[in-house]
Every structure is written in structure tokens, then in C-alpha cells.
Amino acid sequence: MKKLLTFILGLQAFSPQSPAQTLNPDQLKEDLGIFRDALERFHPEMYRYTDEAGFQVIFSDIERQLDRPMDQLEFYQTMRPALAALKDGHIKWIIQGEDQHYGAFTSGLFPLQLHFEAEKVKVLTHFGGENVPVLAEVVSINGRPIASIKDAIWKRLSFGDGDSDGGKRFQLNRYFSALHAFEYGLNESYEVELLHDGKLQIWKGNGVEKDQIEASFKTEDTPFSFRMTNGWTGIMKINRFFSYKHEPDFKRFLRNSFKSLEEENICNLILDLRGNEGGFEKLGIELYRYLAQDQFEYYDYVTTRRNQKTDYPSHTSKIFRMLNSFSKEKDGVFRFTKAPGLKTYKSHKNRFDGNLIVLLDGQSFSVTTELSARVQADGRAHFVGEETAGGAEINSSGFFTIVTLPHSKIDLGIPRLGFHMANLNPAMPRDRGILPNHPIVPTAADIVNGKDPVMEKALELVVRPNH
């Protein structure tokens, strides 16, 4: 996440464009030019995963499509292949004044919660509470095969660094109704072909409100918690690496939790980082000081781009511009020198030396992945669950520059810092997320039946005390 709250608040300062207003080709191409220039000026490593020649092909293809008038939504969709090619889960592309995930779609949305498994797509529930054949396999929606729907949506997904599949699976399962609307528009009613109990059947139903969908996903939002189980295992759940003023202090929480582990002679710690999209890098570093067996380095270096002025409106925080003025070029790379994590750290005196088990999923991102990369590189833990959305070697985050395209009124949020992890295992895939050595992806049946196979596996990996 890394300071996204400031970024999101900044998006509210402008007047939105009407989605139905038509833009002529000259306006569309001007916005395209600004979009490309902003990425080239501000993204710390635009060509990290797709080289300049590859982007040239993508931008040329987009420009060819801008030969006719388009409305805001059409342009939004047309540009998404360029965002997908960045393979940067922190990039933001938001229709101004609208929800980040749903845009202007607030009603008439696809009404079923689906779960995409390896080869099949299953029904979990109806967002409006209607009866549906739970765990039925989806064959088609409005006559379109579900496989072709997934392929069309998948190639535009952008939540995930590099070639990580974990974040994209999360995005597909969590926001399918919104993604379907962007790809195919809204329908007054939906016809879904299902395979249930070995028989094909047709289910028909009306669309639902965005609020109904979001209400189905609301969970308890405590930032972190700690408990003990079975007399020799602690379970630490961290939902985010930040807390609000009215919530417990993170450093005090760590201090008290690890003191309890030491006093109770606990020999196992299950660190549950599922659903944790990140927060502040300092807190990830602080947690690792309780887990590291020796002194350690966190980041190798942090890339950035020089402070620049543009002929078009852009917003970058004054704090970042000031800190970035101290950046220096080394080995042909412009490096940000004021980030935490660029020194050698000592582990805490009451660090945990026992058996560590880390739980991850496709929502584990940003600071969460950085911490996990440090843990994995040091061979410190078992990893259970799903591939992270964040990159194992690097992610771009920190501060953002926000550019509002003048004609389409779409906000492009560009992360300004590229965080490179230090002392990684050479065998670690550099273009993927953290790949658990105990990969477990919950099935639709697990979800419906309230099972947690990831935690079950973690409990199998705990060790009993010697006495």
C-alpha cells in the first residue's frame, strides 16, 4: 500500500468528466501522449518487465485505435493494455471522482459471487441473498463461455508485480462483477449456464447494487492481533502495516507479543499475513528485527527519477520533492537515499528464534511482500498459502505523482520509488511473487464450508517442545 491514503485523498480534488461525453481523436491522442510522457518521466523503472520496443508496439496499437470518437469509458479500456504491460501492482488508473474498482458502475452488476479455481469456476453465493445452486460450475454467462470471459479480463489485470498470478487471481475473485462490467457493460438481467449435480441448467437473475457486493466482503478491520494455542504456538495476525490514532500502537504490540513468546517459552510462531496489502516500510523492518537471527540489510538500493516540471498538470508531494533532491546517480541509476531500510539493522534482544511459519495469499502485497522476501532470503521460515501479489525482488511504491489527463479526466497515479531487496537467494524467481514452499489455494468448497486449509497446514508444521 505504502502511503496510498494520501494519494487517494488527492484524487478527490478535481471535477470529473461525464462518462458519456464524446472525445474526438485529437483529444484522445493528446491524452495518450501525456500518459506516455508521464510514465517515462516519473516511473522509477518503466521498462523493468516490458522493454522499450515492447511498449512501442503497445502504444502504436493504442494510437491506431484512437481514430474515432470515444467516450471516457472506451478510452479507459483502450489504455489498459499499457498498464498491464507495466506489471506494476501499485500503478493507479482511476476514472476521476469514481470508485477505483467499479468506476461509475453502481447498479445492474453481475449478481453472483464466483470463485475461480485452477480449471473451473464455481458459484459461492448471490450478493442479494437469493437462492442459487451453491458450488455449481459456471459454463457461460449471457452466452459467452466462462473461459473466454476469464481470458478477456485476465489480460487487462494489473494487481500484481511482474508475472505474479497471485494478485490477479485475487483481483478476479474479489472484483469480478466490476471487471465484467468494464469488459461487457451492464445488463438488466443475466443468464448463467451452470453444471450442477451432473446436469446443465440455466439460472436467470437481475443485477445488483455495488453496495450489496461490497457488504458481502466486509471483514473485521482490527490492524493486528496475537494469541496462543496448544501451549507451544503463537499466532500473530497482521492485517495492515499501519494503525490509526484510535488503534493500538504497532511497535508496542510487537514488544508485548514477543515478550509473551519469550516468557511462555513458545517454540512456534505462525505469522498470518494473508489479506495484508502493506502500509509503512518502517513497520515491516521493525517486525523483522524480532525475527532475524543476526544483523541484516533490508533494501539493497531504491531507484527513482529526478524532480521534473511538466507542461501539463501533475501533483507530487512537497515532502517527496524535498527528499528526492538528495538523490544521487550511481552506476547509471538514479537512487533515492532517504528511504528507511538502507542501513544494517540489529535484531532485537528478545527476538524469536523458534519455528516460524508465514501464511500468504494473493492480497499480500507491498510492505508485506518485502518483509516476506527478507524472511525467505534468510531461510527463516516455512511459507504456506498462495503466491503474493508483490514482487519478490522489487516493488514500486512509496510516494506517488498524480497526473490528470486533461480531456478524459482519468487519474494516472505513478509510484516514484523502486525498492530493491538486499541479499536475495540467486535461485529465487526475480519476476514472480513469493512462491510458498507449501502451496495451498483454498477451493470453493473450502470457502463455503468455512474451512481454512492454509492454517490447517500451518498447524501441521508446528513442532512440539523437547520437554
Side-chain angles (χ1 to χ4, degrees), residues 109-360:
L109 291 152
F110 183 74
L112 304 183
Q113 182 183 355
L114 305 182
H115 185 71
F116 287 77
E117 298 182 349
E119 302 295 334
K120 299 179 180 180
V121 182
K122 301 289 187 67
V123 175
L124 295 182
T125 189
H126 185 283
F127 289 119
E130 296 181 16
N131 289 327
V132 291
V134 174
L135 297 181
E137 182 181 345
V138 179
V139 178
S140 68
I141 299 174
N142 292 341
R144 297 185 184 93
I146 191 63
S148 67
I149 292 173
K150 178 185 176 182
D151 289 344
I153 291 175
W154 187 270
K155 66 183 181 182
R156 299 185 194 268
L157 297 178
S158 57
F159 184 62
D161 295 335
D163 293 322
S164 167
D165 286 343
K168 292 178 181 178
R169 279 200 306 271
F170 163 76
Q171 190 178 6
L172 187 62
N173 284 322
R174 176 63 174 80
Y175 295 106
F176 176 78
S177 294
L179 296 166
H180 188 273
F182 276 114
E183 195 68 38
Y184 301 108
L186 299 174
N187 295 85
E188 185 174 336
S189 63
Y190 294 85
E191 182 175 294
V192 185
E193 185 180 11
L194 300 171
L195 180 62
H196 187 53
D197 292 335
K199 297 179 181 179
L200 288 173
Q201 65 181 71
I202 300 296
W203 180 91
K204 295 182 179 180
N206 296 330
V208 296
E209 304 288 318
K210 182 191 85 172
D211 290 346
Q212 291 176 285
I213 297 174
E214 288 302 291
S216 299
F217 287 103
K218 284 186 177 179
T219 58
E220 185 181 357
D221 192 35
T222 54
F224 28 76
S225 62
F226 176 75
R227 63 185 175 89
M228 297 189 192
T229 185
N230 70 20
W232 54 82
T233 303
I235 299 177
M236 182 177 290
K237 179 77 173 82
I238 300 180
N239 292 314
R240 43 185 162 89
F241 283 102
F242 66 93
S243 57
Y244 298 109
K245 289 184 178 180
H246 66 279
E247 294 178 327
D249 177 75
F250 185 75
K251 289 187 177 181
R252 186 178 298 113
F253 162 76
L254 292 182
R255 189 163 55 247
N256 293 338
S257 299
F258 282 93
K259 182 179 179 181
S260 297
L261 287 169
E262 184 179 43
E263 291 176 345
E264 299 295 328
N265 293 315
I266 299 300
C267 56
N268 301 280
L269 175 61
I270 297 174
L271 179 59
D272 191 348
L273 300 176
R274 293 176 293 175
N276 187 333
E277 291 191 26
F280 294 102
E281 49 267 44
K282 286 183 179 180
L283 302 189
I285 295 167
E286 181 66 13
L287 173 54
Y288 193 59
R289 290 186 64 204
Y290 284 98
L291 302 174
Q293 302 300 284
D294 202 344
Q295 66 180 24
F296 64 93
E297 295 175 338
Y298 204 74
Y299 300 126
D300 186 6
Y301 60 94
V302 180
T303 58
T304 188
R305 300 297 300 276
R306 288 183 172 87
N307 292 335
Q308 300 184 57
K309 294 183 178 180
T310 61
D311 296 330
Y312 46 85
S314 62
H315 174 74
T316 309
S317 74
K318 291 181 180 179
I319 294 175
F320 173 74
R321 294 200 305 272
M322 179 187 69
L323 295 174
N324 201 35
S325 65
F326 295 97
S327 297
K328 298 178 181 179
E329 186 172 337
K330 181 179 179 181
D331 300 328
V333 177
F334 204 58
R335 302 190 182 197
F336 188 76
T337 60
K338 296 299 181 179
L342 291 172
K343 65 179 184 179
T344 300
Y345 290 87
K346 293 181 179 179
S347 57
H348 279 294
K349 292 181 180 179
N350 63 328
R351 67 178 184 262
F352 177 73
D353 292 326
N355 182 37
L356 178 63
I357 303 163
V358 179
L359 312 187
L360 300 171

